[in-house]
Amino acid sequence: MKTENKIGLKISFDYLSGNDILLDLVKKIADKHRIKGYLLKDKDRVEIIVSASIDDMQKFSKELGEKLPYSIFMGEASTQVIEELPDFIPEKFEIKKDINILPQNLSICPSCLNELFDVNNRRFYFPFISCNYCGSHHSFLYEYPFEREKTVFRFFKMCRECEKEFKDSKSFRYKYPLTACPKCLTPMYFKEGKKEAYLTGSDEMYQAIKKITDLIKEGNLIQIYTTNGDKIVGSVSKENISKIRNIYGRKPLTVMFTGIDHVNKYAVASQNELKALASQEKPTLYLKPTDLFKDFYDTGFFLGKLPDDPVFLMLCENLKKEGIEHLIIEDLKENITDIELNADIPVINPQKDMKIMVVEDLFLIEDGEKGIIPNIVKSKPTGNLSIFGDYAALDLGEGEYLIDRKEKIINQIDGFVDSVESFNYGIKREDINIPYNRKKEYKDYQGAILSVLAEHNIIDKPSVGIYLSHRSDNNLIAVKSHIKPLTPLIRIKPVRIYNDFSKTVSFILNSIKNSSQEGDKLIKNLCKNFPEICERFPVENPEGDYRSSSNLTAVLNAISILTGLFPHNDIHFYEEPFLYLQKKAVEYRGKKGLKVDCVLIEEDGEFFLDWVKLVQSVLSYKVAEAEKEMIAFSVFEGISDWIINETSTVLSKLKIENVALAGDLLMSPLLSGKLINYFSKNHKLYINRKLPVDRVNVAFGGIFI
């Protein structure tokens, strides 16, 4: 509706988060500017209808743009002028449905950021600055609900100014449980060797940050307390990388850029990747290094992030002034420095950073907790409880599922529900102190694939699921029909995985040798041309304990080792050889690879991908001295094409259109890129968007067994 003085607007966007705190912020801003209208969230779509004077609408739009943080769970917004407003538009702004406001850990919002760096504000350089819409709420929470007396902050009395702010309905900290300032909270302390000084206010904190800046410039590693757990940070240098890897091994290190302007200098980053880095979740992101970083990151990708905690925001602001553009940052595992910035306030629930990869316009979450749990996901009601590893999911009623760490749900379960219909568990037997009618065990692939279907509200529809996971023993293609539950259709042929992976490599060589005359001949030629391989990996059935596993990563690890792409004699983390294989494949500049043999075989009525033929064909190219990059690329191309062909055949024969992808192997762009591109164009493709593609999602999907 337009008049001389009034205007009507419709704002729409997708919002995939179960935490609706940002929607409450929209209402707060609308109320401030006397905006009529309402907000409605229907499934994952938010629609805002508003009416006001042109002047008030301009102020509302301006403040909304300035104060509403961008989230990776938020889609692009569309805005249009409404000529005729609905008759039922309310006089005061309303949220039409109940919303879920959860105590998540999120990075600082624009309002708190302004306060943090405003020298005239009483929270200038306050390391615990937060509000209803940002901060580490979950870090300090003992138990639900999110109230001050349920948090660490119950031990600290608010000063008069904070009490006034807590009671002021116009404040962004109105009834905010963690309201605090330097006057009412225990100070931090700075320790250098045997010297220790408490930081009793903003000025002392400011000086400590400047001192730490100088120490980092000198090459020191610093232990830093954050509201999400202790971290170790230092300049990106060969010496510091060596020190950290002596503790952490050769795992890909994380780099925190001091500003977003520096990212493209060290990484090849798309606009969507830059948006993800700058989002309120502040995830760690897989990035491809430029030449400036290639010597430090030999696995082809590194993890990058931007500062999220107030301490890091203060530190990075000072480092930028000194021309320092990045830092190494890792969770503290072992004390390797005598310099620390610390606090006496315990972090009850430190959380792992969200770890993501951007594939075109999709944000795929590999792992992590910050900004993800606790979470509410809506789906078909079951009345069930599910546990998998460290995580649990509980139907709170009417199909609203709370997903959180296991202990947070189990310890308070009788406060959430009176009883459970079915108690479903994976990995190991669990128990709960609440009545339940049934108890079921389930596999990781079931939980992962069903979580995708439940997240997209197609849990009852026929679907084909593909689960590819580094640590799972169940990499497979499975089918769910109208009348049958999710059932394995094609697995990876089981391989023996020993604690000493070199024995797995020996087993694979021996399996090829005994598979056929061609296999025997190939292994003899391999040992003749590359005697060092057969000396290191005797062609025999090794002794010792092992597990039989349908694990694709084990096969790819062996290929990386046998082709000489993996340069080390030991493995520091399970998928390390895989990353070197992936790196070489990414470096290949050709358009087509060699033909590797991906063969479907049947054994005892079950279907398998025969890794024996796959590895045999790869080793034949090694004996023929084919280009290593081409071999690596061909492996990924061959497996991707095989998955596409076999899945397409199943979809066609069973007349199914839905495809669900899950598992952390999707973090390989060589697999996910091709699979996503094909299935999204030719079928209805579904992937976890609200939850990680592995682990956390398994607990949620286990509800629907």
Side-chain angles (χ1 to χ4, degrees):
M1 176 183 68
K2 275 187 179 181
T3 68
E4 186 176 344
N5 297 314
K6 289 195 172 184
I7 187 172
L9 289 181
K10 177 181 177 181
I11 305 169
S12 303
F13 56 89
D14 289 332
Y15 188 58
L16 303 177
S17 176
N19 186 8
D20 296 326
I21 190 69
L22 292 187
L23 308 186
D24 185 68
L25 178 57
V26 173
K27 175 172 169 50
K28 192 79 174 175
I29 296 171
D31 289 344
K32 177 181 177 180
H33 296 290
R34 303 178 297 279
I35 303 295
K36 296 180 182 180
Y38 63 88
L39 180 152
L40 176 63
K41 185 180 181 184
D42 184 17
K43 295 180 181 177
D44 296 327
R45 188 71 176 170
V46 173
E47 188 174 276
I48 303 170
I49 304 293
V50 288
S51 173
S53 69
I54 294 175
D55 184 52
D56 285 343
M57 189 69 79
Q58 287 175 339
K59 292 176 182 177
F60 166 72
S61 300
K62 182 175 184 293
E63 186 164 356
L64 198 64
E66 292 173 346
K67 291 186 175 178
L68 193 67
Y70 171 72
S71 166
I72 66 165
F73 299 111
M74 185 186 297
E76 293 292 332
S78 64
T79 303
Q80 63 185 87
V81 175
I82 301 176
E83 298 294 341
E84 294 294 333
L85 284 167
D87 294 335
F88 55 83
I89 190 165
E91 287 297 311
K92 290 186 177 181
F93 192 86
E94 296 178 359
I95 297 179
K96 286 290 187 181
K97 286 187 177 181
D98 291 339
I99 59 175
N100 293 305
I101 296 179
L102 305 172
Q104 284 188 340
N105 288 348
L106 296 167
S107 68
I108 194 167
C109 70
S111 296
C112 287
L113 186 64
N114 288 336
E115 290 188 5
L116 183 67
F117 291 116
D118 180 359
V119 69
N120 297 314
N121 192 283
R122 64 193 180 91
R123 292 191 178 90
F124 173 66
Y125 265 59
F126 178 50
F128 297 96
I129 192 167
S130 59
C131 71
N132 278 311
Y133 308 106
C134 75
S136 295
H137 303 171
H138 197 254
S139 286
F140 301 112
L141 182 70
Y142 287 112
E143 61 182 17
Y144 296 108
F146 181 42
E147 298 169 352
R148 193 176 183 94
E149 59 269 24
K150 303 286 189 181
T151 73
V152 175
F153 279 51
R154 71 189 184 194
F155 300 110
F156 305 98
K157 181 176 173 57
M158 281 185 274
C159 67
R160 287 185 179 180
E161 289 174 287
C162 285
E163 281 185 344
K164 181 181 177 182
E165 194 174 41
F166 181 79
K167 296 173 183 177
D168 183 2
S169 62
K170 295 181 180 180
S171 167
F172 272 62
R173 293 187 182 86
Y174 171 60
K175 294 193 181 302
Y176 173 53
L178 306 186
T179 296
C181 75
K183 288 183 180 179
C184 51
L185 204 61
T186 299
M188 298 185 74
Y189 61 89
F190 175 64
K191 188 176 180 182
E192 184 179 7
K194 295 182 179 180
K195 298 178 183 177
E196 186 174 320
Y198 272 85
L199 313 176
T200 57
S202 297
D203 290 341
E204 289 86 351
M205 189 70 198
Y206 180 80
Q207 293 302 323
I209 293 294
K210 289 184 71 67
K211 174 66 174 175
I212 291 170
T213 300
D214 292 337
L215 290 167
I216 287 174
K217 283 177 61 181
E218 293 168 8
N220 293 282
L221 290 172
I222 317 288
Q223 176 183 335
I224 290 185
Y225 170 98
T226 78
T227 56
N228 204 41
D230 288 353
K231 311 290 180 182
I232 191 80
V233 301
S235 58
V236 180
S237 66
K238 290 184 177 179
E239 182 180 0
N240 282 341
I241 288 174
S242 176
K243 287 179 181 178
I244 290 176
R245 282 191 166 158
N246 283 339
I247 303 297
Y248 293 81
R250 292 187 300 264
K251 66 182 286 289
L253 297 176
T254 302
V255 170
M256 181 167 65
F257 295 100
T258 57
I260 196 167
D261 295 342
H262 307 319
V263 175
N264 278 326
K265 185 174 179 180
Y266 300 95
V268 181
S270 67
Q271 281 301 115
N272 281 334
E273 287 172 324
L274 294 174
K275 284 172 63 177
L277 286 170
S279 69
Q280 193 180 23
E281 290 77 20
K282 293 294 186 298
T284 57
L285 185 68
Y286 283 100
L287 295 169
K288 186 178 179 182
T290 63
D291 288 344
L292 288 173
F293 260 11
K294 67 180 181 180
D295 292 337
F296 294 121
Y297 300 95
D298 49 2
T299 56
F301 290 89
F302 71 96
L303 291 166
K305 71 178 277 86
L306 290 175
D308 48 1
D309 186 84
V311 171
F312 283 139
L313 286 159
M314 294 184 284
L315 178 59
C316 287
E317 189 69 16
N318 281 268
L319 289 169
K320 279 192 293 185
K321 294 175 183 177
E322 298 296 326
I324 297 176
E325 298 174 337
H326 46 57
L327 294 171
I328 297 173
I329 174 173
E330 294 294 333
D331 291 334
L332 184 70
K333 286 186 178 179
E334 188 174 316
N335 198 350
I336 57 175
T337 178
D338 62 354
I339 307 171
E340 62 180 279
L341 179 65
N342 219 321
D344 294 326
I345 301 174
V347 176
I348 305 301
N349 307 300
Q351 292 188 317
K352 295 182 290 185
D353 274 352
M354 185 191 304
K355 190 185 297 182
I356 74 171
M357 174 169 278
V358 179
V359 180
E360 297 181 356
D361 61 343
L362 293 176
F363 298 143
L364 299 184
I365 308 170
E366 176 184 17
D367 195 10
E369 301 163 328
K370 188 164 79 69
I372 302 173
I373 60 171
N375 206 340
I376 297 286
V377 178
K378 298 179 181 180
S379 192
K380 177 185 176 181
T382 64
N384 296 347
L385 164 71
S386 169
I387 291 177
F388 186 84
D390 294 330
Y391 304 104
L394 174 67
D395 188 345
L396 299 175
E398 300 181 357
E400 280 202 337
Y401 293 94
L402 172 64
I403 304 164
D404 205 342
R405 289 192 70 86
K406 177 176 65 179
E407 66 273 10
K408 272 286 182 285
I409 290 180
I410 296 303
N411 291 345
Q412 284 190 262
I413 191 168
D414 56 355
F416 294 122
V417 295
D418 296 324
S419 63
V420 167
E421 182 63 29
S422 180
F423 175 31
N424 303 340
Y425 64 93
I427 297 182
K428 63 179 182 178
R429 294 186 69 86
E430 306 272 2
D431 208 356
I432 54 171
N433 295 318
I434 195 170
Y436 53 86
N437 294 328
R438 295 185 305 278
K439 192 171 186 177
K440 298 179 185 177
E441 183 179 4
Y442 66 92
K443 302 293 186 182
D444 50 6
Y445 79 89
Q446 295 173 303
I449 294 171
L450 291 177
S451 77
V452 178
L453 304 182
E455 191 180 299
H456 292 276
N457 291 297
I458 57 168
I459 192 70
D460 293 325
K461 294 187 178 180
S463 304
V464 172
I466 302 168
Y467 182 53
L468 302 172
S469 175
H470 283 304
R471 292 168 185 82
S472 173
D473 294 329
N474 298 294
N475 287 197
L476 48 65
I477 299 171
V479 176
K480 180 182 181 298
S481 70
H482 278 301
I483 58 175
K484 289 186 178 181
L486 188 68
T487 305
L489 184 63
I490 304 173
R491 298 180 185 269
I492 309 301
K493 181 178 179 178
V495 60
R496 292 182 184 178
I497 300 181
Y498 296 81
N499 289 333
D500 179 356
F501 195 78
S502 65
K503 292 184 176 182
T504 295
V505 179
S506 288
F507 167 75
I508 286 174
L509 290 175
N510 193 60
S511 298
I512 295 171
K513 176 180 180 294
N514 294 327
S515 66
S516 63
Q517 289 183 346
E518 292 81 3
D520 181 60
K521 182 179 179 182
L522 172 68
I523 296 302
K524 286 178 179 176
N525 285 334
L526 181 73
C527 292
K528 177 182 176 181
N529 294 347
F530 304 96
E532 68 280 4
I533 291 179
C534 297
E535 290 172 6
R536 183 181 170 195
F537 307 106
V539 184
E540 62 186 18
N541 265 337
E543 296 181 353
D545 294 335
Y546 63 86
R547 74 179 195 274
S548 184
S549 173
S550 292
N551 180 256
L552 182 59
T553 303
V555 177
L556 298 176
N557 278 347
I559 288 173
S560 181
I561 292 168
L562 290 170
T563 53
L565 297 177
F566 184 59
H568 306 290
N569 290 326
D570 59 341
I571 298 175
H572 277 204
F573 55 98
Y574 181 64
E575 65 270 25
E576 187 181 17
F578 165 86
L579 294 179
Y580 282 86
L581 180 71
Q582 177 179 258
K583 179 193 175 187
K584 282 297 180 184
V586 169
E587 291 174 355
Y588 180 61
R589 293 292 174 259
K591 293 183 178 180
K592 290 291 291 182
L594 303 162
K595 184 182 183 303
V596 297
D597 294 332
C598 291
V599 179
L600 183 69
I601 60 172
E602 183 180 359
E603 293 182 357
D604 300 325
E606 295 186 83
F607 294 97
F608 299 97
L609 166 63
D610 185 4
W611 55 259
V612 173
K613 294 295 185 185
L614 170 62
V615 180
Q616 180 177 320
S617 65
V618 170
L619 292 181
S620 70
Y621 292 126
K622 177 179 175 62
V623 171
E625 298 184 345
E627 179 189 358
K628 287 183 177 180
E629 289 83 358
M630 180 183 286
I631 292 175
F633 176 82
S634 302
V635 170
F636 286 97
E637 182 182 53
I639 291 172
S640 299
D641 287 342
W642 180 83
I643 292 171
I644 287 170
N645 291 336
E646 296 299 333
T647 305
S648 297
T649 299
V650 174
L651 291 164
S652 176
K653 286 185 175 180
L654 299 180
K655 294 182 170 53
I656 294 175
E657 58 182 359
N658 301 316
V659 180
L661 292 182
D664 59 8
L665 255 169
L666 292 177
M667 291 301 112
S668 168
L670 293 159
L671 287 173
S672 61
K674 195 161 190 176
L675 296 181
I676 290 170
N677 181 60
Y678 176 82
F679 289 121
S680 61
K681 289 180 178 178
N682 297 281
H683 303 279
K684 291 185 177 180
L685 175 66
Y686 300 95
I687 306 175
N688 289 117
R689 299 291 304 280
K690 302 175 184 179
L691 299 172
V693 295
D694 226 338
R695 298 176 187 85
V696 177
N697 70 338
V698 176
F700 174 52
I703 281 276
F704 303 95
I705 300 300

